[in-house]
Amino acid sequence: MPYTAPLSDYEFLLYNVAGLDGIAATDRFADADRDVVSAILNEAGKMCRDVLEPLRRVGDLHPATLENGVVRTPPGFGHGWNAIAEGGWVGISSDPGFGGMGLPMTVATAVNEMMSAACLSLQIAPLMTQGQIEALEHHASDELKALYLPKLISGEWVGTMNLTEPQAGSDVGALSTRAEPNGDGTYAVSGQKIFISWGDNDFSENVCHLVLARLPDAAPGTKGISLFLVPRNLPDENGAPGVANTLNVVSLEHKLGLHGSPTCVMQYDGAKGWLVGEPHKGMAAMFTMMNNARLGVGGQGVGIAEGAYQHALAYAQERKQGRSAPTGTILDHADVRRMLIEMRADTFASRAILLACAGAIDMGHATGDANWIARAAFLTPIAKTFGTETGICVAETGVQVHGGMGFIEETGAAQFYRDVRVTAIYEGTSGIQAMDLVSRKMMDGGEAAARLLDEIEDHAERARATLPELAGPVWEATESLRETTEWLVAQGDMNERFAGALPYLRAFARVLGAHYHLVAALAEPEGPRAKLARFYIHALLPEYTGLLVQAQNGSADLFALSADDLAA
Ligand SMILES: Cc1cc2nc3c(=O)[nH]c(=O)nc-3n(C[C@H](O)[C@H](O)[C@H](O)COP(=O)(O)OP(=O)(O)OC[C@H]3O[C@@H](n4cnc5c(N)ncnc54)[C@H](O)[C@@H]3O)c2cc1C
């Protein structure tokens, strides 16, 4: 069934949650007025419906393959990439000086979410390229920028991100790929990288790899990592792709889902590369790309949630089982209603968190204000994890709405579930995100968290006059969350924080979601969004109580069982 971009929700959230009017009032984003944004979202929505959505199933049925060392992409993917590139969607938030549109991240996030809903396996390619563009914009030399950015932004070249090695997954500091100076300012990069999304393709002129590697004098761990730009084809004197670099795709992974996306084992044999940023400061540079990608992967989850919801709703509107009224379909059954409304309410909440995070990123970029930067940093792990977990839960519920047909591949319900599962794993697993939230993002003694909780409480306080039955529970949940936040900050032993980090993150997301639903209910008290808010706040928000108990349970029970006990 055709995908319909949720333009009304974007419009509501961009202006009522993400603060796009305020963003457009800054010098940097002055071009992003309401008409421009509306036209952009409409155009992107059409491209997703007409070009990308038909590719979703094609990619699943005709996976990317490796033929004599050459990656062959599914039929139509090259056409899909060209549509993305020609629409300007790769460089939507990139520097106009190099051909980008220079639009806010909030708008890019909405467009990326649409592309994920339509065809996730292809959308990873522009997402990785966007992350690379941002890393180069911030950290590359002027020469590298001038050569690479226009090609990446126009979509003539595709970008990838190479961190993972067999022994270095979550522990990036364990990587062993080496980079030796060639004596002419370039480096010879050698080593193996695994799980590299879109490590090659048969539709772009060139593929540019951002590779983490160690210089000869590097310290162990993350402090000794540098970042290199390693193109598949070395640019000639005119900047056109020239001779092949000494790197190749060794094999492609066979995966649970995302079959259209080639996930490559890459071998670098003294491949020529250029340093990006300072020696040994590669992690800082790579973090620019990773933060971009974390938000983007959160959006992948939200996009799949939207796609799975639309699919399930369409099925429920057709399927007749039992005597029911008024529609005569399964939509009349209370349990089917519960599933669909949970799907929709959580999709709204996760999209709101995602766009609020993107809005904070934009304000941080436009103003340099430390509070906006801290807000964006705090929200990023929540947006990533709640977005992806919502994608997984909603897709799983979508299978259930379909009954037995959900388990049969033809309906497409199962593909959403298979495709989205990895989003909670790559770009830092949910556990790693949660640990980041309760450690690095609380190094300020919980200040960024407290400021956000203050805002939510103030808003709930103001809402009490008109919507007391919704505002009250939001205020109380926020107060409980504040107590747990203070408890976490007081734990000097990090393992005590880590033991409950993920339940804490989930509780935070529940409360944030309730806050944004309350914003919607206040803005449109008689509309469908207010009805959805009621369901979310009455039925889903209360999960926070159990989650906060888990968050404060500490590590003792987890480590009471020895490794032998676990195996007994
Ligand atoms: C389809 C796909 C595409 C990918 N694309 C890319 C790509 O383009 N570029 C790239 O560089 N990588 C890519 N990856 C790799 C991905 O980022 C890693 O798989 C991910 O970071 C997890 O690393 P790992 O698989 O080694 O798991 P591990 O690190 O071995 O983790 C196993 C489990 O242990 C947990 N764990 C690990 N360390 C800790 C800790 N310190 N504290 C608590 N829990 C911990 C994890 O949360 C997880 O549950 C991709 C992976 C897949 C499957």
Side-chain angles (χ1 to χ4, degrees):
M1 56 137 314
Y3 164 74
T4 308
L7 297 180
S8 159
D9 270 4
Y10 289 140
E11 204 126 319
F12 178 82
L13 290 171
L14 286 173
Y15 295 104
N16 291 278
V17 166
L20 189 51
D21 281 330
I23 294 167
T26 64
D27 287 347
R28 176 163 179 162
F29 296 119
D31 291 342
D33 64 40
R34 285 192 176 225
D35 289 344
V36 167
V37 171
S38 173
I40 293 268
L41 295 180
N42 262 298
E43 269 314 300
K46 273 191 223 149
M47 191 260 312
C48 290
R49 183 195 59 203
D50 298 341
V51 182
L52 299 191
E53 198 272 342
L55 296 175
R56 185 198 303 133
R57 191 93 179 103
V58 176
D60 198 43
L61 292 174
H62 305 281
T65 55
L66 188 65
E67 288 170 19
N68 302 321
V70 177
V71 169
R72 300 282 173 221
T73 59
F77 269 42
H79 174 58
W81 172 265
N82 289 341
I84 294 169
E86 283 159 17
W89 309 122
V90 181
I92 181 168
S93 62
S94 312
D95 187 344
F98 295 104
M101 287 199 226
L103 285 166
M105 190 58 91
T106 40
V107 180
T109 298
V111 172
N112 284 345
E113 191 218 295
M114 289 184 212
M115 292 198 281
S116 313
C119 186
L120 187 65
S121 60
L122 177 57
Q123 186 267 353
I124 301 168
L127 186 69
M128 293 291 106
T129 308
Q130 288 170 355
Q132 181 169 124
I133 290 167
E134 197 179 329
L136 295 180
E137 281 177 355
H138 283 87
H139 303 285
S141 66
D142 289 344
E143 291 77 16
L144 286 183
K145 282 185 198 174
L147 180 53
Y148 285 87
L149 285 177
K151 303 283 194 191
L152 290 164
I153 289 171
S154 65
E156 287 161 88
W157 297 0
V158 169
T160 75
M161 172 168 162
N162 289 232
L163 288 79
T164 309
E165 298 178 11
Q167 79 294 351
S170 302
D171 184 8
V172 179
L175 67 83
S176 62
T177 295
R178 299 179 321 281
E180 308 273 347
N182 286 328
D184 60 357
T186 66
Y187 294 82
V189 176
S190 301
Q192 190 173 84
K193 296 285 179 181
I194 61 168
F195 293 155
I196 305 309
S197 296
W198 284 98
D200 201 2
N201 69 69
D202 54 2
F203 51 68
S204 71
E205 277 181 3
N206 209 351
V207 179
C208 306
H209 304 287
L210 267 187
V211 183
L212 286 180
R214 291 184 185 286
L215 290 165
D217 56 342
T222 49
K223 290 202 172 74
I225 294 176
S226 305
L227 183 62
F228 299 88
L229 181 57
V230 186
R232 179 187 68 191
N233 291 88
L234 296 167
D236 63 20
E237 63 279 10
N238 302 315
V243 293
N245 209 344
T246 47
L247 60 91
N248 63 307
V249 178
V250 177
S251 60
L252 300 188
E253 303 295 352
H254 297 278
K255 311 190 291 289
L256 176 67
L258 280 188
H259 295 146
S261 160
T263 304
C264 304
V265 175
M266 305 290 306
Q267 184 66 38
Y268 294 87
D269 293 315
K272 193 176 214 177
W274 284 262
L275 184 68
V276 175
E278 301 288 309
H280 312 308
K281 297 273 194 286
M283 279 311 285
M286 197 57 144
F287 257 108
T288 306
M289 179 160 183
M290 278 158 58
N291 278 332
N292 179 307
R294 283 176 178 178
L295 184 75
V297 172
Q300 292 186 331
V302 180
I304 291 288
E306 179 66 40
Y309 169 73
Q310 291 187 14
H311 232 72
L313 179 64
Y315 186 79
Q317 285 169 327
E318 296 283 320
R319 175 72 175 159
K320 293 187 169 63
Q321 275 303 280
R323 283 188 201 173
S324 65
T327 69
T329 67
I330 59 170
L331 198 58
D332 299 325
H333 300 309
D335 189 56
V336 176
R337 281 289 170 124
R338 177 192 59 76
M339 290 191 276
L340 287 165
I341 292 175
E342 270 184 30
M343 292 164 86
R344 191 167 171 103
D346 265 349
T347 304
F348 180 87
S350 58
R351 181 176 290 133
I353 294 171
L354 187 78
L355 292 174
C357 181
I361 292 172
D362 286 331
M363 288 305 283
H365 283 162
T367 66
D369 182 323
N371 282 340
W372 281 119
I373 293 168
R375 171 67 53 87
F378 188 80
L379 286 178
T380 297
I382 303 178
K384 197 275 179 183
T385 304
F386 191 61
T388 58
E389 291 196 343
T390 296
I392 293 167
C393 289
V394 167
E396 197 268 342
T397 308
V399 171
Q400 193 71 13
V401 169
H402 282 77
M405 286 309 288
F407 202 67
I408 306 302
E409 289 288 356
E410 283 147 48
T411 60
Q415 189 190 341
F416 286 117
Y417 188 36
R418 289 186 289 100
D419 283 355
V420 76
R421 186 61 189 84
V422 73
T423 61
I425 295 171
Y426 60 30
E427 274 321 313
T429 62
S430 300
I432 296 293
Q433 301 297 330
M435 287 162 66
D436 176 48
L437 182 70
V438 300
S439 55
R440 273 165 31 99
K441 304 297 164 64
M442 287 191 180
M443 279 197 315
D444 59 359
E447 229 182 83
R451 255 198 316 276
L452 186 51
L453 296 175
D454 288 346
E455 281 175 30
I456 299 174
E457 278 190 3
D458 286 350
H459 180 263
E461 208 51 79
R462 278 180 275 123
R464 263 188 213 279
T466 42
L467 293 170
E469 76 288 5
L470 299 185
V474 175
W475 192 92
E476 279 155 31
T478 312
E479 207 39 33
S480 301
L481 187 58
R482 187 190 297 282
E483 282 164 23
T484 303
T485 306
E486 287 166 2
W487 182 87
L488 281 170
V489 170
Q491 304 308 305
D493 178 350
M494 279 298 167
N495 224 27
E496 297 307 304
R497 296 192 195 188
F498 292 158
L502 191 53
Y504 172 76
L505 182 152
R506 289 173 176 153
F508 214 117
R510 274 273 162 259
V511 172
L512 271 174
H515 167 59
Y516 297 129
H517 271 290
L518 183 59
V519 169
L522 262 188
E524 303 169 340
E526 303 305 325
R529 275 189 270 266
K531 292 175 191 157
L532 201 61
R534 268 173 219 290
F535 173 80
Y536 182 97
I537 291 172
H538 291 152
L540 300 182
L541 173 63
E543 274 184 10
Y544 81 86
T545 50
L547 290 166
L548 291 184
V549 170
Q550 291 177 50
Q552 290 197 52
N553 197 43
S555 67
D557 291 343
L558 299 178
F559 288 89
L561 288 157
S562 68
D564 287 344
D565 290 337
L566 285 172

